[in-house]
Amino acid sequence: MRTVLMVAEKPSLAQSIAKILSRGNMSSRKGLNGACSVHEYTGSFIGQSAHFKMTSVCGHVMTLDFIGKYNSWDKVDPAELFSKAPTEKKEANPKLSMVKFLQVEGRGCDCIVLWLDCDKEGENICFEVLDAVLPVMNKPRGTERTIYRAKFSSITDTDICNAMNHLGEPNRNEALSVDARQELDLRIGCAFTRFQTKYFQGKYGNLDSSLISFGPCQTPTLGFCVERHDKIQSFKPETYWVLQAKVNPEKESSLTLDWDRVRVFDREVAQMFLNITKMAKEAKVESVSKKEKVKQRPLALNTVEMLRVASAALGMGPQHAMQIAERLYTQGYISYPRTETTHYPENFDLKGCLRQQANNPYWAETVKALLSEGINRPRKGHDAGDHPPITPMRAATEAELGGDGWRLYEYITRHFIATVSTDCKYLQTTISFSIGPERFTCVGKVVTSPGFTEIMPWHSIPLEESLPHCEKGDLFPIGEIKLLEKQTSPPDYLTEAELITLMEKHGIGTDASIPVHINNICQRNYVTVETGRRLKPTNLGIVLVHGYYKIDAELVLPTIRSAVEKQLNLIALGKANFHQVLEHTLDIFKRKFHYFVDSIAGMDELMEVSFSPLAATGKPLSRCGKCHRFMKYIQAKPSRLHCSHCDDTYSLPQNGTIKLYKELRCPLDDFELVLWSSGSRGKSYPLCPYCYNHPPFRDMKKGMGCNECTHPTCQHSLSMLGIGQCVECENGVLVLDSTSGPKWKMACNKCNVVVHFFENAHKVRVSPETCELCEAALVDVDFNKAKSPLPGDETQHSGCVFCDPVFQDLVELKHAAMRHPMHRGGQGKRQGRGRGKGRRPGGRLNPKKPKDKMAALAAYFV
């Protein structure tokens, strides 16, 4: 019997597809990585009986990155990233061990069926899966085919079974176009981002962004927002005048007429027209015309239109709307949500989808009427050749989906029903009047057939007062004629919906990546989302775009990226060579980069006007170890310390608070220590600003605080405060937080595990002795007599946090399930810092006191 491995893009999809193909008759188990399940069943495959194993990945298996040394911002010239720096594929999420998991499940399989999402990214993941699995699969006999690709657009029985019966092959060209986009974005984005981040953060203190990023799509997206901001700023309002007339067809009623000239910008001319018309006592009907007009039903729904409506009408950001749509798709409620197509194929079962909605109380009547009278063929839209338009595939209730899920599903369903409804028809009556020599008009609309507006009431023709019945030559008394003074108003800031329209029009990003680019400019603090989901550029966003315009406008204009997107599409169609497109595009941007670096002074002049230099920002906090003057703490992102005397800047841990640590100094460099804290429920640790940026010991890395420092005698180091191996992660050590009393705690120096213990203790100290059972350091605890939880009213006790029965009820683990450290493999000798059970870096079982401080430093110091 052949074994067939099948791989989907997400665990929930794998379960749904396996359930459909096995008709619910399958066995399931967890995979070795804990995130993916394997569903097994027996069935037939291409006319032979086969054992099926259905599993999944979690998005991309691999990600592109530079090899090790090129990831250092300090040691590598950003210009090298365009061509010299080699790239490699790394596991996208190493914790998931996805490659190992796929190889374990793929070993001994005869065939593989790829159920990845049917878009370019999905094709790319197909080949990532094949690279992992093919080496361990059984070798094919002769020319036997072993790789199959399933093409589907929704998680319904018919679509999935149809895909299984018509298996194709993965598309190498589409996968290559994704590889090209990844490499271009990585090389171009990293080079510009590293250069401008280092340049400007080294000079200005209040930029309030931890990264001054550049992206080939992200930057033109920001450009649209700033362009609108500039129009608003440069707008000069003009005064204009409008002539408004009211006639009284009957005693009680009045009719407001619109002036055919619309408006004039000269006050005297406007006054002249007013004087002329005021001489007339009656308005004469010059003509009456009636026309039947049609408001067309919408085109079928694609991704961009869905994101536009979600932002404008539902108040959901594009990223959030896309996540909800993906969830609805994986649960089988809607078809695939990433599509550019607005045209249904001829064989699409529109009636079947409509019947699913016949029992929903919100639209049951409309649906039943359509089914009985016969549906209208949807309008002919654009066929991009990817997926059918977004369609509801299964009935749902508000209780099932809840909140935003239901609101988006409801819109998708109403839109679908509208596409198969009739157009809205209305009768438009236009009456033309003359008052003296001037012409005026009034228009009235009466709906004759509401059509699709019944299901989409927000598109309905507004109710208006009915126009009086009249004929040419009729005279009406004039109620009033007056002159209205008005002013032209500036445009408003771009809404997300308008930005999405501009991005689509100019070819910036794809239907899948548009939400990501908009989210990025918000995350980077380049724009803020105001009421009505309008995007207002920040000072930093404005200065960056103006700087790009000043140096090289093509960096921010959509033209060059649009051209690159076209080239990438040609790769996907097999009409362009991957290497040539990559080389040509990188060469253009490399030249632009060198010109940008040479001309950076132009952007710097704009920065100087808007932002303060480092020396002028921040507040004095701790003393520099070199000049012993106060360094300034700059709170704006990224927070850092700056010594204006030495002109040195020291980066600090982010996303927490920094304060001076008891004016204590580092024994190595005499810098005053600072204390970083993530809040009362989080963890805190002291650090030396100099050591944090320049690791003093060989086994330390940049960005380590005192809780990871291997100094043998410093009272704040890992050597003196480390207690035992973390109960959650592999390499972490639990370190006593000596500032946390009276709510004492120890925290892992690698992950987010925090252990609360000995509440209300007077003192907690780490003993030089270790536990005989688990080799963790013993802890000496002093309690106040009144609050001592120790048996027999004792106030002092020394023991192991993990093994001592007296301490067991006094220890509480946060963020993770408690596991005894002894259960983590063998109890042999410790294998170096953080890996064994003990706390000391060297792993000595019987630590001896060092002879003197200098001898100890000689052993550790680089």
Side-chain angles (χ1 to χ4, degrees), residues 485-528:
E485 185 178 304
K486 295 185 177 184
Q487 271 198 331
T488 54
S489 55
D492 214 331
Y493 283 104
L494 280 180
T495 61
E496 281 172 335
E498 290 166 337
L499 179 58
I500 291 165
T501 306
L502 283 169
M503 290 174 77
E504 185 194 30
K505 180 184 169 186
H506 292 282
I508 299 297
T510 62
D511 53 358
S513 65
I514 282 173
V516 178
H517 302 313
I518 295 175
N519 190 52
N520 279 346
I521 61 171
C522 297
Q523 296 278 308
R524 298 279 185 266
N525 196 32
Y526 294 161
V527 298
T528 55

Side-chain angles (χ1 to χ4, degrees), residues 127-374:
F127 287 93
E128 293 175 357
V129 171
L130 291 175
D131 288 344
V133 171
L134 286 181
V136 297
M137 281 173 60
N138 292 340
K139 296 286 173 277
R141 301 173 205 136
T143 55
E144 186 185 24
R145 186 175 158 204
T146 55
I147 300 164
Y148 298 89
R149 174 76 163 113
K151 296 274 183 182
F152 58 102
S153 295
S154 62
I155 314 300
T156 57
D157 295 17
T158 26
D159 216 15
I160 296 299
C161 294
N162 197 32
M164 193 66 182
N165 295 331
H166 300 87
L167 295 171
E169 289 185 12
N171 187 325
R172 170 69 74 179
N173 290 328
E174 287 193 357
L176 280 174
S177 77
V178 173
D179 283 338
R181 179 181 279 109
Q182 283 179 353
E183 190 163 338
L184 288 175
D185 289 354
L186 176 74
R187 290 184 183 278
I188 297 166
C190 285
F192 278 92
T193 299
R194 287 185 192 182
F195 171 71
Q196 59 190 29
T197 301
K198 284 184 73 178
Y199 187 88
F200 292 120
Q201 281 185 352
K203 291 191 77 172
Y204 303 102
N206 55 344
L207 295 174
D208 204 26
S209 182
S210 47
L211 200 67
I212 303 173
S213 63
F214 173 93
C217 285
Q218 173 195 303
T219 305
T221 304
L222 174 63
F224 291 131
C225 300
V226 175
E227 187 184 3
R228 176 61 65 89
H229 168 84
D230 292 343
K231 280 182 183 170
I232 294 167
Q233 295 302 307
S234 61
F235 184 83
K236 289 186 174 67
E238 282 188 88
T239 307
Y240 65 90
W241 289 266
V242 174
L243 210 53
Q244 190 188 72
K246 284 185 182 178
V247 296
N248 301 334
E250 292 160 21
K251 281 184 181 175
E252 298 299 312
S253 64
S254 76
L255 199 63
T256 304
L257 310 182
D258 297 319
W259 191 22
D260 283 12
R261 290 186 197 272
V262 184
R263 60 185 179 181
V264 292
F265 286 88
D266 189 312
R267 171 76 206 239
E268 288 179 6
V269 173
Q271 189 65 47
M272 177 198 75
F273 284 126
L274 178 68
N275 296 340
I276 292 170
T277 50
K278 273 197 166 177
M279 293 160 104
K281 296 284 179 281
E282 288 178 317
K284 183 183 177 186
V285 176
E286 294 292 336
S287 66
V288 179
S289 69
K290 292 190 179 188
K291 272 187 187 173
E292 192 166 88
K293 294 213 165 187
V294 170
K295 186 171 186 177
Q296 282 192 312
R297 60 194 183 280
L299 283 166
L301 187 64
N302 67 1
T303 308
V304 169
E305 182 59 21
M306 179 188 75
L307 295 176
R308 267 199 290 255
V309 173
S311 175
L314 306 179
M316 291 182 206
Q319 183 96 335
H320 179 53
M322 205 66 225
Q323 286 166 352
I324 291 169
E326 281 175 359
R327 196 184 77 224
L328 291 173
Y329 160 67
T330 54
Q331 291 171 341
Y333 290 108
I334 64 170
S335 63
Y336 193 60
R338 295 175 196 262
T339 176
E340 294 173 20
T341 297
T342 56
H343 176 73
Y344 281 108
E346 293 301 317
N347 59 354
F348 193 89
D349 184 11
L350 294 164
K351 276 190 178 171
C353 293
L354 200 56
R355 273 191 210 100
Q356 296 272 1
Q357 304 297 334
N359 296 319
N360 190 301
Y362 290 103
W363 44 74
E365 281 182 31
T366 311
V367 170
K368 283 172 184 168
L370 278 170
L371 288 169
S372 64
E373 293 163 17

